[in-house]
Amino acid sequence: MCGIVCYVGHQDCSRIILDGLSHLEYRGYDSAGIAVHNQKDIKVVRQQGKLSGLEERLKDSPLPGTTGIGHTRWATHGRPSENNAHPHRVDDTVVVHNGIIENHLELRAELERAGAVFSSETDTEILAHLVSRNIKSTTSLKDAVKSALKRVQGSYAIVVMCEANPNELIVAKNASPLVLGMGDGEMFAASDVPAILKYTRDVMFMEDGELAVITKDAVTLETLDGEPVVRDVKKITWSHIQAEKEGYKHFMLKEIFQQPTVIEDTLRGRVSIEGSGVATELMGFDDATARRIRRIVLIACGTSYHAALVGKYWLEKLAQVPTEVELASEYRARGPLVDPNDLVIPISQSGETLDTMEAIRIAKAGAARILAISNVVDSAIPRASDGTLYTHAGPEIGVASTKCFTAQLAALYMLAVHLGRRRLTLTKDQARELLEYLLRVPKLMVEVLKKNEEIKALAQSIAGYRDALFLGRGLSFPIALEGALKLKEISYMHAEGYAAGEMKHGPIALIDENMPVVVVMPNDDSLKRIVGNVQEVLARGGKVIGIVSEDEQESASIDMARLEIPACPPEISPIISVLPLQLLAYHVADFKGTDVDQPRNLAKTVTVE
Ligand code: AGP
């Protein structure tokens, strides 16, 4: 998820672009760049690191001009570096891009065979080469961009400029956001409204498959096939802060609602049903190595640890590899046995958690192979690993992890199917069916999110209690743990997650009318037994909220509050059933007025002992 801002008009564009980018840093900030046309040629300045570094460089050597494009990067392909920063330039063409080009490897190979010389590791540079090549054989920049985009599969929001057209920008959108801003003798485009609110509140939101030619006096919108598009201009009434949250009250709520898109982005280009394999790149080992794995050790902290607990079920069932799950801090404390045939998988959204980083050092000392799962390209944990399977969740601003958790689950599920195919524990048809389940997740998530108001009412019913218990069995046990962590860390209400089968071994002593119990009970093999647990709780005066599947009758007669999730294959139920728990925790915290995005005593990344 990157930030794009562009301008064409009568003002000096550098200041406007940098200001706009500063309102998009929540979209990504590992590098930044700007390109300005000074009516003679285009100057490009790029800088690794935060936007402030670029601003400093431009203070010393400003770029005069009234047409320009800018970009803040959140790396998905290619480490954060000046070379990989946008804008990318090839001859007279300059491009910025937000998205993922799925067929980037084949296009790059084709271009290199035709003599193109690449200077970066990014998928974006391919666009600059394609447009630059097309310009030589077409009359307009617009047509050159259209021809390039017809070769591209995947998501993009792009802005293109070239030296021959000093007063024109071409923008195009598919699956990544792009909004056009209309001013008086000046026009804007950006990834998001906050970037341009200071200059105009008159905007047009582009739709997928559309392209626009922007000059200082006009915006001409059309489809890639040349069909003219008429779009109403909308007046934005949000404040700046509201705009960064896209109208959501908190970043956490925005990120909960981003999850369908985040899963789509994490799966994009990696799940090929035809091949029934998972083209997971950067795994750092081939089939022979995959078959030599004797044990998998998942290592993580907090929410990532709960993702690891879910991953264990999938890796053992689908890839049939004995899998252990370790709290990073305990792994460090224990001085574990490590074998060269271990595959150690550190899971870390930030890629910087100290306990997980230290655990990797121990595993490496034991000659294990390390495959990281992380959301931040080239962060410390991926750098210390043999390979990394990246989630594409974009920056997660809320301290309580939500979208990164479900993205981690999607990555673990893909990995389990991938290893199952490599180790021949899954047939092609089994893998294809499992991947089709995964591709359904975004739509199923949308159905759950439609129940936000219903969940808010359930949250109100428990917000006044001091304690809560979360129960689950099998794949739902880690989800119960995660629901308890979400509730405690943002609402400060004491909450415990427990394996439902453990109730009779102690926790049932806690049950009375003052103990709300949230039970994750999807329609799977554990349903009958967990219905029994619910009845034990109700018999002792406990108050139960059941997260149930809409397609089962087993629990229909139980006198409890119910939140129905859509019917789904049991294998993917954890990725769906966690959403009501995220929203339940969010609304309890919001009712209690705690600082939802930055709860007391917590840091987003724990880089200290
Ligand atoms: C999750 O809501 C918490 N904020 C915390 O437990 C977090 O998951 C943990 O600190 C691990 O962080 P990481 O994924 O960046 O390593």
Side-chain angles (χ1 to χ4, degrees):
M1 188 157 82
C2 304
I4 290 174
V5 182
C6 68
Y7 174 87
V8 54
H10 51 79
Q11 297 190 68
D12 174 63
C13 66
S14 293
R15 174 182 54 78
I16 292 171
I17 289 169
L18 291 173
D19 174 68
L21 292 177
S22 70
H23 290 291
L24 297 180
E25 278 206 286
Y26 66 87
R27 297 181 62 84
Y29 38 70
D30 56 45
S31 52
I34 185 171
V36 176
H37 202 307
N38 57 25
Q39 299 301 315
K40 288 196 310 299
D41 57 16
I42 296 175
K43 302 292 185 199
V44 179
V45 176
R46 303 180 295 176
Q47 173 90 9
Q48 183 180 346
K50 293 241 181 217
L51 185 61
S52 52
L54 181 66
E55 287 167 336
E56 279 309 304
R57 268 180 74 176
L58 292 172
K59 271 193 192 128
D60 301 338
S61 41
L63 298 182
T66 58
T67 303
I69 57 182
H71 186 275
T72 54
R73 185 167 181 249
W74 180 268
T76 53
H77 292 79
R79 68 180 68 84
S81 67
E82 184 169 327
N83 237 14
N84 288 334
H86 302 207
H88 286 283
R89 172 178 204 150
V90 173
D91 301 334
D92 297 349
T93 301
V94 179
V95 178
V96 292
H97 165 233
N98 173 28
I100 295 168
I101 297 178
E102 296 172 20
N103 58 334
H104 67 100
L105 292 176
E106 75 184 70
L107 289 174
R108 188 186 187 109
E110 176 195 312
L111 286 161
E112 285 176 332
R113 284 195 298 273
V117 176
F118 281 76
S119 59
S120 80
E121 302 162 318
T122 67
D123 55 343
T124 301
E125 192 185 345
I126 288 158
L127 288 168
H129 279 287
L130 287 173
V131 174
S132 174
R133 183 181 69 176
N134 294 346
I135 279 181
K136 297 179 176 65
S137 59
T138 175
T139 53
S140 79
L141 181 59
K142 177 181 78 171
D143 292 341
V145 171
K146 279 185 183 176
S147 310
L149 292 177
K150 286 179 178 167
R151 300 292 318 280
V152 159
Q153 294 158 21
S155 58
Y156 56 79
I158 63 166
V159 184
V160 183
M161 63 195 261
C162 77
E163 286 193 341
N165 303 47
N167 304 305
E168 179 186 85
L169 297 174
I170 308 295
V171 300
K173 180 230 189 287
N174 189 52
S176 293
L178 204 55
V179 60
L180 306 175
M182 269 62 75
D184 182 7
E186 55 187 11
M187 297 292 173
F188 310 79
S191 302
D192 214 342
V193 163
I196 56 178
L197 264 190
K198 186 188 283 185
Y199 309 101
T200 179
R201 289 184 174 272
D202 295 331
V203 302
M204 278 197 291
F205 291 94
M206 291 182 70
E207 301 292 345
D208 288 353
E210 291 180 348
L211 172 143
V213 178
I214 304 178
T215 64
K216 69 182 180 62
D217 299 312
V219 170
T220 314
L221 205 50
E222 62 186 78
T223 67
L224 281 188
D225 299 327
E227 291 299 314
V229 172
V230 177
R231 177 71 33 78
D232 293 341
V233 176
K234 293 198 184 312
K235 179 73 79 177
I236 295 292
T237 57
W238 287 337
S239 70
H240 253 107
I241 290 295
Q242 281 174 318
E244 285 189 9
K245 295 171 190 163
E246 287 175 18
Y248 291 101
K249 188 173 180 182
H250 297 99
F251 277 109
M252 181 181 175
L253 188 60
K254 172 183 171 184
E255 287 154 4
I256 289 171
F257 277 81
Q258 279 179 330
Q259 291 180 104
T261 303
V262 161
I263 297 298
E264 284 173 347
D265 287 347
T266 296
L267 302 185
R268 196 181 301 282
R270 289 165 154 174
V271 177
S272 57
I273 293 297
E274 301 65 44
S276 86
V278 180
T280 44
E281 70 284 359
L282 290 185
M283 291 184 58
F285 51 94
D286 56 20
D287 289 4
T289 315
R291 291 185 193 129
R292 266 204 310 274
I293 299 167
R294 290 285 166 273
R295 175 178 68 155
I296 291 176
V297 182
L298 302 168
I299 304 178
C301 304
T303 285
S304 299
Y305 173 74
H306 297 151
L309 289 172
V310 177
K312 171 187 172 71
Y313 287 84
W314 287 329
L315 287 162
E316 291 197 338
K317 184 175 178 190
L318 306 182
Q320 293 181 21
V321 184
T323 300
E324 295 171 18
V325 182
E326 298 273 2
L327 282 169
S329 53
E330 286 305 304
Y331 186 78
R332 290 178 66 192
R334 202 183 67 243
L337 293 176
V338 182
D339 185 290
N341 287 320
D342 283 351
L343 173 63
V344 172
I345 303 179
I347 303 175
S348 175
Q349 177 282 124
S350 63
E352 299 290 345
T353 299
L354 182 136
D355 280 326
T356 310
M357 190 64 226
E358 290 306 312
I360 292 173
R361 290 194 214 290
I362 295 168
K364 288 184 87 164
R369 290 190 75 84
I370 316 287
L371 170 69
I373 293 178
S374 184
N375 193 49
V376 183
V377 172
D378 216 37
S379 52
I381 287 168
R383 290 201 310 273
S385 303
D386 298 309
T388 301
L389 183 52
Y390 283 109
T391 52
H392 294 155
E396 188 172 62
I397 309 301
V399 165
S401 187
T402 50
K403 64 176 182 174
C404 288
F405 175 69
T406 49
Q408 287 169 348
L409 294 184
L412 283 161
Y413 186 99
M414 283 195 287
L415 177 62
V417 173
H418 181 82
L419 286 178
R421 287 293 294 135
R422 303 277 67 77
R423 297 167 58 89
L424 305 176
T425 55
L426 287 176
T427 66
K428 207 170 181 147
D429 290 344
Q430 287 171 325
R432 182 179 293 119
E433 184 179 37
L434 288 163
L435 293 174
E436 278 165 352
Y437 294 165
L438 188 58
L439 291 170
R440 288 188 218 164
V441 165
K443 285 190 171 57
L444 291 167
M445 286 180 153
V446 169
E447 290 309 305
V448 177
L449 294 170
K450 287 176 183 170
K451 305 202 170 199
N452 183 39
E453 287 307 311
E454 194 179 331
I455 298 165
K456 186 173 180 178
L458 288 173
Q460 199 147 14
S461 75
I462 65 168
Y465 289 89
R466 199 168 54 86
D467 304 288
L469 199 53
F470 287 72
L471 303 180
R473 277 180 182 263
L475 271 170
S476 298
F477 167 42
I479 300 306
L481 295 175
E482 175 58 14
L485 175 60
K486 287 280 111 24
L487 184 62
K488 73 179 90 169
E489 68 175 328
I490 63 173
S491 77
Y492 317 146
M493 184 173 164
H494 171 247
E496 267 189 279
Y498 243 94
E502 275 295 287
M503 281 298 287
K504 54 189 173 298
H505 299 288
I508 201 160
L510 292 171
I511 301 303
D512 60 23
E513 66 284 359
N514 299 314
M515 175 64 81
V517 182
V518 180
V519 186
V520 186
M521 44 197 298
N523 190 4
D524 60 17
D525 296 344
S526 301
L527 183 58
K528 278 190 187 305
R529 286 193 295 275
I530 207 160
V531 163
N533 296 133
V534 170
Q535 281 156 346
E536 289 159 9
V537 170
L538 292 171
R540 289 155 179 82
K543 172 188 176 66
V544 175
I545 295 176
I547 310 297
V548 298
S549 297
E550 64 187 9
D551 65 339
E552 55 90 359
Q553 289 306 312
E554 195 70 37
S555 68
S557 60
I558 298 178
D559 175 22
M560 65 179 178
R562 304 162 65 84
L563 194 280
E564 289 193 349
I565 60 174
C568 71
E571 290 83 350
I572 58 167
S573 69
I575 315 178
I576 307 302
S577 60
V578 71
L579 269 63
L581 306 188
Q582 295 170 340
L583 286 170
L584 191 72
Y586 170 78
H587 287 302
V588 170
D590 191 34
F591 284 133
K592 298 182 74 169
T594 59
D595 185 345
V596 171
D597 283 333
Q598 294 177 340
R600 68 185 183 196
N601 310 336
L602 287 179
K604 183 60 186 169
T605 304
V606 181
T607 55
V608 294
E609 290 287 1

